[in-house]
Amino acid sequence: MIVLDENIDADQRESLRRRRLHVQQIGRDVSRRGTQDPDIFPLLQRLSRPTFFTRDLRLHSRHLCHPRYGVVVLAVDKSEVAAFVRRVLAHPAFAQARNRMGKVVLASHDGLRYWRLHTTAEERLPWRP
């Protein structure tokens, strides 16, 4: 399940849906409008293998790693969100939901950095391995 943060623009959500990605958005499809960050993570734990995509850079923290969900922080312009969601989902390391669980990923033009559950060092991956 792909869950978009409430702050992701509708045109980016619709772009993903046109590409046949089943996405849900906080405040629209899941939970209520104005859901605060601390309330999102208990919600994610109740969903089936969700990956939460956000542009909130504060959420790139190893303390948010949890075995029941994955978090992807997009450090890109708001007009690039849909392209980078697709790019992350196409990357061999993150293409399957089970590979995203327990990770907090920072995706940017420079590549991917991520924390993994039970690790103390951030790992890095290029876009093209």
Side-chain angles (χ1 to χ4, degrees):
M1 172 185 288
I2 304 302
V3 180
L4 303 177
D5 200 352
E6 184 174 30
N7 64 7
I8 292 178
D9 291 344
D11 66 321
Q12 297 299 298
R13 181 187 67 242
E14 292 310 314
S15 174
L16 292 167
R17 286 184 174 163
R18 281 193 302 274
R19 300 277 184 149
R20 292 183 169 53
L21 281 174
H22 180 71
V23 296
Q24 297 191 350
Q25 189 167 26
I26 300 290
R28 179 180 171 87
D29 310 301
V30 179
S31 194
R32 65 192 182 293
R33 293 183 66 82
T35 300
Q36 299 299 306
D37 290 344
D39 299 325
I40 289 173
F41 299 100
L43 167 70
L44 293 174
Q45 291 176 34
R46 293 190 303 268
L47 299 174
S48 176
R49 297 187 325 188
T51 301
F52 177 62
F53 285 86
T54 182
R55 291 184 61 240
D56 188 343
L57 297 176
R58 295 173 300 158
L59 298 182
H60 181 63
S61 167
R62 72 182 179 106
H63 302 292
L64 292 176
C65 292
H66 192 281
R68 300 222 5 112
Y69 61 76
V71 176
V72 178
V73 178
L74 303 168
V76 298
D77 188 76
K78 65 182 183 176
S79 65
E80 299 176 296
V81 165
F84 273 78
V85 167
R86 290 191 314 270
R87 211 170 164 188
V88 168
L89 295 175
H91 194 283
F94 302 110
Q96 296 183 7
R98 70 174 181 243
N99 294 338
R100 297 188 299 269
M101 299 301 101
K103 294 185 176 95
V104 177
V105 180
L106 179 70
S108 69
H109 289 277
D110 296 332
L112 300 155
R113 297 178 8 212
Y114 65 97
W115 295 102
R116 209 174 354 161
L117 193 62
H118 307 302
T119 63
T120 57
E122 187 178 52
E123 299 178 51
R124 296 175 184 267
L125 285 172
W127 279 113
R128 293 180 186 233

